[in-house]
Amino acid sequence: MRFTDFVFAAVIAVIFVAIIIKIHGYRFFDKKRKYHPVAGTVIHQLFNFHRLLEYMVDLTIQRKTYRLLSFIRSEVYTANPANIQHILATNFPNYGKGWYHYSVMSDFLGDSIFTVDGEKWRHHRKTSSYQFSTKMLRDFSSSAFKSNAVKLAGVVSDAAISNNVIEMQDLFMKSTLDSVCKVILGVELDTMCGTYKEGTEFSNAFDEVSAAIMYRYFNFLWKIMRFLNIGSEAVLRNGLRVIDEFVYNLIRKKIEEIQKLQDNSTVMKGDILSRFIELKETDPKYLRDISLSFILAGKDTTAITLSWFLYQLCKHPRVQEKIAQEIREATNVAAGSTIDELAASVTEENMEKMQYLHAALNETLRLHPAVPVEGKFCFADDTWPDGFSVRKGDLISFQPYVMGRMKFLWGDDAEKFRPERWLDENGILKKESPYKFTAFQGGPRICLGKEFAYRQMKIYSTVLLGSHSFKLADQNGSVKYKTMLTLQIDGGMHVYASQRQN
Ligand code: HEM
């Protein structure tokens, strides 16, 4: 380092420390309370942005809980399950989304389950939980997952016959969006084959808006850009126009249709939007916000998990074969059955028998959680089970990605993909604490679509792995994640498929 560089770095460091002290004051020197040790600053995070999650792994190996100083607040990161249980369950009302998250998300999702806290959240949670628990939704969603999995397997089959490389992450993204839109909105988007123009436009706009919203978390100038309607904020505004036109049209038509049906006292429809309308919920804004929230929650999460799952199965052919064997035994389909026969053979009872498949999905989520980092705001000063305190306004974070790699939680082979760790000596799935395996969060705000997601992933796995075997296009290569709010594979997941003979 040259002398001038050294002086420059020292001046920046002094200014930074001065700002931190000005903002945080000397409150952390409070003798009565202990605060978690400082491991760095958000500037360090920025320097490590290209390997952000690995950087956080390195810090957590040194300390289970630590603070990073930022210009506006302390950020407290913990991998201690006792602390996480305290945040998510024991002192649940003291930690939430807060105004910051609301201000970033509300242009897209309004006042929905994802953006609000307190009484508003409780109301959303209660009405949505009821919808997610009905047998009608279970049956309707299983049938939507099956038909979309069959369509996807058809594309895979064509590529297998012509020995073409397939980018599976993109196909999973399209297929899970098609499934989730069928279940939530009751429409066939068919982004997989692109036959419905408005559906494809809606899907493209949805992706653009989601990306622009995520970008707000990294771009502190977004409010000015929104005011000037430039860059990503202009894209967001245009995207929202397309989304709103599509969704409001659909809501209007559905309300008319259902009111006519109800006049003639005819049968109920299975999609969630219709179910809300049938229960006399007809405020278009409420219906829009709740529908878009469910689509956002269910779209990329399962597609990303299925992509990493397939990647791990290609890296571990023994596991891939074991799952294919379990599928054959559980569904009892004859060798050489068609994709349709395979899909028809999946029942709730058969899926229950697929314990090894469930274990492999858990193992995927442990190492590659679709939501790698989770954050909450602290509403009032508090002391955690580890004896250290946090302050009102602190950003509290725990990281499923980091926790999945910790030896103190998972043993010396924590970094190894080993589905067996989830099974007992009889091959039955062991229960795991949601405060240690945090991929779905835990406590009152645990993922509402967890069972829904497992059902979808099991159906897709049965249809795809029962009919094909997969190997990586570049057998010696490995893939990396993109630093985003979800754990997408950078550049996609390229494979060859071949039809199963047995
Ligand atoms: C592998 C798939 C999935 C994973 C890993 C996952 C993970 C999560 C996580 C970590 C949260 C907490 C997010 C936060 O509060 O910031 C969450 C919440 C939620 N998830 Fe999922 N999710 C998955 C699939 C789904 C699906 C398919 C749906 C439904 C279509 C869904 C619906 C929801 C809802 C409604 C919430 C909000 C719950 C609340 O705040 O009360 N999720 N999910």
Side-chain angles (χ1 to χ4, degrees):
M1 190 193 262
R2 284 179 306 161
F3 181 69
T4 47
D5 292 344
F6 176 77
V7 172
F8 181 70
V11 170
I12 294 287
V14 169
I15 293 173
F16 182 68
V17 171
I19 292 173
I20 295 286
I21 291 176
K22 175 99 183 86
I23 289 164
H24 294 270
Y26 290 94
R27 62 190 196 186
F28 290 112
F29 302 106
D30 178 350
K31 289 270 177 356
K32 283 187 236 96
R33 288 167 178 250
K34 287 190 294 177
Y35 293 94
H36 297 100
V38 175
T41 66
V42 286
I43 304 281
H44 293 95
Q45 269 185 327
L46 279 181
F47 279 124
N48 285 282
F49 194 71
H50 60 290
R51 55 177 294 275
L52 190 61
L53 296 173
E54 267 60 46
Y55 171 66
M56 309 306 271
V57 167
D58 294 345
L59 294 183
T60 311
I61 288 172
Q62 291 162 37
R63 301 178 183 93
K64 284 184 202 164
T65 308
Y66 56 86
R67 277 186 299 139
L68 290 187
L69 300 182
S70 89
F71 289 109
I72 42 177
R73 63 176 75 89
S74 261
E75 299 185 356
V76 185
Y77 292 80
T78 185
N80 179 341
N83 288 346
I84 294 172
Q85 181 165 8
H86 179 84
I87 299 159
L88 296 182
T90 321
N91 199 7
F92 172 74
N94 195 39
Y95 299 90
K97 303 273 176 178
W99 66 268
Y100 177 70
H101 187 77
Y102 180 82
S103 71
V104 169
M105 298 292 281
S106 57
D107 285 339
F108 186 19
L109 302 180
D111 278 7
S112 72
I113 190 165
F114 268 106
T115 53
V116 295
D117 297 302
E119 223 16 77
K120 270 189 184 169
W121 166 79
R122 221 179 308 284
H123 169 74
H124 278 300
R125 180 83 192 190
K126 199 168 154 215
T127 48
S128 308
S129 302
Y130 169 71
Q131 295 295 349
F132 272 83
S133 65
T134 60
K135 180 170 180 319
M136 179 179 269
L137 185 78
R138 209 164 47 233
D139 294 346
F140 184 71
S141 61
S142 292
S143 124
F145 298 152
K146 284 182 191 178
S147 63
N148 282 294
V150 165
K151 212 186 254 183
L152 172 58
V155 175
V156 169
S157 191
D158 290 346
I161 291 164
S162 46
N163 201 29
N164 283 342
V165 173
I166 330 166
E167 205 286 78
M168 285 305 288
Q169 183 170 254
D170 182 51
L171 290 180
F172 280 137
M173 290 282 187
K174 288 181 168 141
S175 190
T176 52
L177 176 67
D178 288 348
S179 303
V180 92
C181 283
K182 178 73 187 173
V183 178
I184 309 297
L185 302 174
V187 286
E188 300 279 359
L189 278 198
D190 196 25
T191 58
M192 177 67 79
C193 305
T195 55
Y196 176 29
K197 186 167 155 275
E198 284 83 359
T200 307
E201 283 167 2
F202 168 77
S203 153
N204 293 340
F206 202 95
D207 282 344
E208 283 168 6
V209 168
S210 313
I213 288 284
M214 281 190 200
Y215 186 54
R216 284 183 173 179
Y217 282 101
F218 305 105
N219 171 22
F220 62 93
L221 296 176
W222 69 265
K223 282 193 179 167
I224 299 172
M225 289 171 65
R226 179 174 67 179
F227 178 72
L228 298 173
N229 193 26
I230 54 171
S232 57
E233 290 297 314
V235 173
L236 195 149
R237 193 174 294 182
N238 283 336
L240 280 178
R241 204 173 301 132
V242 176
I243 291 175
D244 283 350
E245 200 179 308
F246 184 84
V247 177
Y248 280 129
N249 267 339
L250 196 77
I251 290 172
R252 210 191 45 249
K253 277 193 207 141
K254 263 195 191 290
I255 292 179
E256 285 168 12
E257 201 182 306
I258 287 170
Q259 279 170 349
K260 258 190 227 150
L261 282 176
Q262 283 181 339
D263 291 345
N264 301 325
S265 59
T266 334
V267 283
M268 292 195 290
K269 294 189 159 230
D271 61 273
I272 292 190
L273 180 55
S274 299
R275 305 287 304 119
F276 271 107
I277 297 172
E278 276 158 12
L279 292 174
K280 309 283 178 243
E281 183 49 80
T282 50
D283 172 7
K285 175 79 169 79
Y286 178 89
L287 292 168
R288 171 214 178 269
D289 292 349
I290 200 129
S291 303
L292 293 183
S293 301
F294 291 157
I295 295 172
L296 184 73
K299 179 177 117 51
D300 290 2
T301 43
T302 42
I304 288 171
T305 309
L306 284 166
S307 305
W308 284 106
F309 171 66
L310 197 56
Y311 170 72
Q312 288 291 7
L313 297 196
C314 291
K315 285 282 176 195
H316 300 88
R318 178 192 66 81
V319 177
Q320 187 173 159
E321 284 315 303
K322 209 168 161 181
I323 291 173
Q325 174 73 25
E326 186 181 67
I327 289 168
R328 267 193 302 278
E329 285 168 13
T331 55
N332 211 9
V333 288
S337 301
T338 63
I339 292 169
D340 285 302
E341 285 165 345
L342 208 50
S345 73
V346 193
T347 60
E348 290 287 324
E349 201 188 351
N350 291 346
M351 280 191 282
E352 200 48 46
K353 291 185 202 154
M354 299 179 191
Q355 297 280 300
Y356 190 74
L357 170 60
H358 200 121
L361 289 168
N362 279 0
E363 187 67 344
T364 304
L365 281 158
R366 182 180 73 83
L367 287 170
H368 312 286
V371 185
V373 179
E374 291 178 39
K376 306 255 172 216
F377 280 93
C378 173
F379 297 141
D381 294 2
D382 192 14
T383 299
W384 283 358
D386 64 1
F388 289 90
S389 296
V390 291
R391 308 283 308 221
K392 176 180 175 179
D394 284 351
L395 173 68
I396 309 300
S397 182
F398 59 93
Q399 300 137 305
Y401 181 94
V402 170
M403 293 177 76
R405 283 160 173 75
M406 287 300 120
K407 289 184 181 164
F408 75 88
L409 292 173
W410 300 100
D412 284 347
D413 66 351
E415 299 214 13
K416 224 172 132 186
F417 181 81
R418 194 171 63 79
E420 286 75 10
R421 78 174 77 239
W422 293 90
L423 300 170
D424 69 13
E425 57 286 359
N426 300 315
I428 305 295
L429 214 61
K430 289 191 278 195
K431 277 222 169 353
E432 192 50 271
S433 158
Y435 311 110
K436 172 182 166 191
F437 174 53
T438 51
F440 291 99
Q441 213 174 116
R445 222 162 171 163
I446 192 168
C447 170
L448 193 57
K450 187 176 166 204
E451 301 313 321
F452 187 89
Y454 276 111
R455 193 173 325 119
Q456 182 175 21
M457 294 190 292
K458 282 187 176 176
I459 290 173
Y460 272 68
S461 303
T462 305
V463 174
L464 288 176
L465 296 167
S467 57
H468 293 85
S469 60
F470 294 85
K471 63 179 186 200
L472 289 178
D474 174 7
Q475 297 229 34
N476 301 318
S478 59
V479 295
K480 285 198 301 209
Y481 62 81
K482 229 191 232 178
T483 300
M484 286 174 69
L485 298 184
T486 51
L487 198 74
Q488 283 191 28
I489 299 180
D490 200 7
M493 228 281 283
H494 298 85
V495 298
Y496 284 111
S498 44
Q499 237 134 23
R500 273 194 188 279
Q501 303 306 328
N502 48 8

Short mmCIF file of all heavy atoms in Angstrom, two decimals, residues 103-109 208-218 232-233 236 240 296 485:
data_model
loop_
_atom_site.label_atom_id
_atom_site.label_comp_id
_atom_site.label_asym_id
_atom_site.label_seq_id
_atom_site.Cartn_x
_atom_site.Cartn_y
_atom_site.Cartn_z
N SER A 103 -41.96 0.25 4.09
CA SER A 103 -41.77 1.31 3.09
C SER A 103 -41.18 0.75 1.79
O SER A 103 -41.50 1.20 0.71
CB SER A 103 -40.91 2.45 3.65
OG SER A 103 -39.58 2.01 3.78
N VAL A 104 -40.33 -0.29 1.91
CA VAL A 104 -39.72 -0.88 0.70
C VAL A 104 -40.76 -1.70 -0.08
O VAL A 104 -40.83 -1.63 -1.30
CB VAL A 104 -38.52 -1.77 1.10
CG1 VAL A 104 -38.03 -2.60 -0.08
CG2 VAL A 104 -37.37 -0.93 1.64
N MET A 105 -41.56 -2.47 0.63
CA MET A 105 -42.42 -3.47 -0.03
C MET A 105 -43.82 -2.98 -0.40
O MET A 105 -44.48 -3.58 -1.24
CB MET A 105 -42.62 -4.69 0.90
CG MET A 105 -41.38 -5.46 1.26
SD MET A 105 -40.66 -6.33 -0.13
CE MET A 105 -41.70 -7.74 -0.26
N SER A 106 -44.30 -1.92 0.27
CA SER A 106 -45.75 -1.66 0.17
C SER A 106 -46.20 -1.19 -1.21
O SER A 106 -47.36 -1.41 -1.57
CB SER A 106 -46.20 -0.69 1.26
OG SER A 106 -45.47 0.49 1.14
N ASP A 107 -45.32 -0.59 -2.04
CA ASP A 107 -45.76 -0.23 -3.40
C ASP A 107 -46.19 -1.48 -4.15
O ASP A 107 -47.06 -1.43 -5.02
CB ASP A 107 -44.61 0.42 -4.19
CG ASP A 107 -44.37 1.85 -3.72
OD1 ASP A 107 -45.29 2.42 -3.13
OD2 ASP A 107 -43.26 2.36 -3.94
N PHE A 108 -45.55 -2.59 -3.84
CA PHE A 108 -45.83 -3.85 -4.54
C PHE A 108 -46.94 -4.65 -3.83
O PHE A 108 -47.92 -5.05 -4.44
CB PHE A 108 -44.52 -4.66 -4.59
CG PHE A 108 -44.58 -5.93 -5.39
CD1 PHE A 108 -45.57 -6.17 -6.33
CD2 PHE A 108 -43.61 -6.91 -5.20
CE1 PHE A 108 -45.59 -7.36 -7.07
CE2 PHE A 108 -43.63 -8.09 -5.92
CZ PHE A 108 -44.63 -8.31 -6.86
N LEU A 109 -46.78 -4.85 -2.52
CA LEU A 109 -47.67 -5.78 -1.82
C LEU A 109 -48.71 -5.10 -0.94
O LEU A 109 -49.51 -5.80 -0.30
CB LEU A 109 -46.84 -6.75 -0.98
CG LEU A 109 -45.81 -7.60 -1.74
CD1 LEU A 109 -45.07 -8.51 -0.79
CD2 LEU A 109 -46.47 -8.42 -2.84
N GLU A 208 -39.79 -8.34 -13.12
CA GLU A 208 -39.13 -7.02 -13.11
C GLU A 208 -39.43 -6.28 -11.81
O GLU A 208 -38.53 -5.68 -11.21
CB GLU A 208 -39.63 -6.19 -14.30
CG GLU A 208 -39.00 -6.60 -15.62
CD GLU A 208 -39.71 -5.98 -16.82
OE1 GLU A 208 -40.63 -5.15 -16.62
OE2 GLU A 208 -39.36 -6.34 -17.94
N VAL A 209 -40.68 -6.33 -11.39
CA VAL A 209 -41.06 -5.61 -10.17
C VAL A 209 -40.37 -6.25 -8.96
O VAL A 209 -39.83 -5.55 -8.10
CB VAL A 209 -42.60 -5.58 -10.00
CG1 VAL A 209 -42.99 -5.10 -8.62
CG2 VAL A 209 -43.23 -4.69 -11.05
N SER A 210 -40.35 -7.59 -8.90
CA SER A 210 -39.69 -8.25 -7.75
C SER A 210 -38.21 -7.84 -7.69
O SER A 210 -37.68 -7.55 -6.62
CB SER A 210 -39.74 -9.78 -7.85
OG SER A 210 -40.99 -10.22 -8.16
N ALA A 211 -37.55 -7.83 -8.87
CA ALA A 211 -36.12 -7.48 -8.89
C ALA A 211 -35.93 -6.02 -8.45
O ALA A 211 -35.01 -5.71 -7.67
CB ALA A 211 -35.55 -7.70 -10.29
N ALA A 212 -36.80 -5.12 -8.93
CA ALA A 212 -36.66 -3.70 -8.58
C ALA A 212 -36.91 -3.49 -7.08
O ALA A 212 -36.26 -2.65 -6.45
CB ALA A 212 -37.62 -2.86 -9.42
N ILE A 213 -37.84 -4.24 -6.52
CA ILE A 213 -38.12 -4.11 -5.08
C ILE A 213 -36.91 -4.62 -4.28
O ILE A 213 -36.46 -3.97 -3.32
CB ILE A 213 -39.39 -4.90 -4.70
CG1 ILE A 213 -40.65 -4.20 -5.23
CG2 ILE A 213 -39.49 -5.12 -3.19
CD1 ILE A 213 -41.09 -2.97 -4.46
N MET A 214 -36.35 -5.74 -4.70
CA MET A 214 -35.17 -6.27 -4.00
C MET A 214 -34.01 -5.27 -4.06
O MET A 214 -33.27 -5.09 -3.11
CB MET A 214 -34.71 -7.58 -4.64
CG MET A 214 -35.54 -8.75 -4.22
SD MET A 214 -34.78 -10.26 -4.77
CE MET A 214 -36.19 -11.36 -4.70
N TYR A 215 -33.88 -4.61 -5.22
CA TYR A 215 -32.78 -3.66 -5.41
C TYR A 215 -32.88 -2.50 -4.41
O TYR A 215 -31.86 -1.94 -3.99
CB TYR A 215 -32.81 -3.16 -6.86
CG TYR A 215 -31.66 -2.27 -7.24
CD1 TYR A 215 -30.34 -2.70 -7.05
CD2 TYR A 215 -31.88 -1.02 -7.78
CE1 TYR A 215 -29.28 -1.87 -7.39
CE2 TYR A 215 -30.82 -0.19 -8.13
CZ TYR A 215 -29.53 -0.62 -7.93
OH TYR A 215 -28.48 0.20 -8.25
N ARG A 216 -34.10 -2.17 -3.98
CA ARG A 216 -34.27 -1.08 -3.01
C ARG A 216 -33.49 -1.36 -1.72
O ARG A 216 -33.04 -0.44 -1.06
CB ARG A 216 -35.75 -0.91 -2.65
CG ARG A 216 -36.56 -0.22 -3.73
CD ARG A 216 -37.99 -0.04 -3.25
NE ARG A 216 -38.75 0.77 -4.20
CZ ARG A 216 -40.03 1.07 -4.03
NH1 ARG A 216 -40.69 0.63 -2.99
NH2 ARG A 216 -40.66 1.82 -4.91
N TYR A 217 -33.35 -2.65 -1.35
CA TYR A 217 -32.64 -2.97 -0.11
C TYR A 217 -31.15 -2.61 -0.20
O TYR A 217 -30.47 -2.47 0.81
CB TYR A 217 -32.79 -4.46 0.22
CG TYR A 217 -34.13 -4.80 0.82
CD1 TYR A 217 -35.13 -5.37 0.03
CD2 TYR A 217 -34.42 -4.54 2.15
CE1 TYR A 217 -36.37 -5.67 0.56
CE2 TYR A 217 -35.66 -4.84 2.70
CZ TYR A 217 -36.63 -5.40 1.90
OH TYR A 217 -37.85 -5.69 2.43
N PHE A 218 -30.63 -2.53 -1.43
CA PHE A 218 -29.20 -2.23 -1.59
C PHE A 218 -28.97 -0.80 -2.09
O PHE A 218 -27.85 -0.34 -2.17
CB PHE A 218 -28.56 -3.21 -2.60
CG PHE A 218 -28.77 -4.66 -2.22
CD1 PHE A 218 -29.68 -5.45 -2.90
CD2 PHE A 218 -28.06 -5.22 -1.17
CE1 PHE A 218 -29.87 -6.78 -2.55
CE2 PHE A 218 -28.25 -6.54 -0.81
CZ PHE A 218 -29.16 -7.32 -1.50
N SER A 232 -34.37 1.90 -12.11
CA SER A 232 -35.15 0.73 -11.66
C SER A 232 -36.53 1.14 -11.16
O SER A 232 -37.48 0.35 -11.22
CB SER A 232 -34.38 0.01 -10.55
OG SER A 232 -34.13 0.92 -9.49
N GLU A 233 -36.66 2.38 -10.66
CA GLU A 233 -37.97 2.82 -10.16
C GLU A 233 -38.96 3.06 -11.30
O GLU A 233 -40.16 2.85 -11.14
CB GLU A 233 -37.81 4.08 -9.31
CG GLU A 233 -37.11 3.83 -7.98
CD GLU A 233 -37.90 2.88 -7.07
OE1 GLU A 233 -39.11 3.07 -6.93
OE2 GLU A 233 -37.28 1.96 -6.51
N LEU A 236 -40.09 -0.33 -12.24
CA LEU A 236 -41.05 -0.79 -11.24
C LEU A 236 -42.45 -0.22 -11.50
O LEU A 236 -43.45 -0.94 -11.50
CB LEU A 236 -40.55 -0.37 -9.86
CG LEU A 236 -41.19 -1.05 -8.65
CD1 LEU A 236 -40.15 -1.16 -7.54
CD2 LEU A 236 -42.36 -0.31 -8.12
N LEU A 240 -45.71 -2.39 -12.39
CA LEU A 240 -46.89 -2.40 -11.52
C LEU A 240 -48.16 -2.12 -12.32
O LEU A 240 -49.21 -2.68 -12.05
CB LEU A 240 -46.73 -1.37 -10.40
CG LEU A 240 -45.87 -1.80 -9.22
CD1 LEU A 240 -45.75 -0.67 -8.21
CD2 LEU A 240 -46.43 -3.04 -8.52
N LEU A 296 -45.80 -14.21 -4.80
CA LEU A 296 -44.38 -13.90 -4.52
C LEU A 296 -43.78 -14.96 -3.59
O LEU A 296 -42.66 -15.43 -3.80
CB LEU A 296 -44.27 -12.51 -3.88
CG LEU A 296 -42.84 -12.06 -3.63
CD1 LEU A 296 -42.17 -11.69 -4.96
CD2 LEU A 296 -42.78 -10.86 -2.70
N LEU A 485 -31.84 -11.49 -2.38
CA LEU A 485 -32.63 -11.84 -1.20
C LEU A 485 -33.06 -13.30 -1.22
O LEU A 485 -33.37 -13.89 -0.21
CB LEU A 485 -33.88 -10.95 -1.09
CG LEU A 485 -33.59 -9.45 -0.92
CD1 LEU A 485 -34.88 -8.69 -0.73
CD2 LEU A 485 -32.65 -9.19 0.25
#
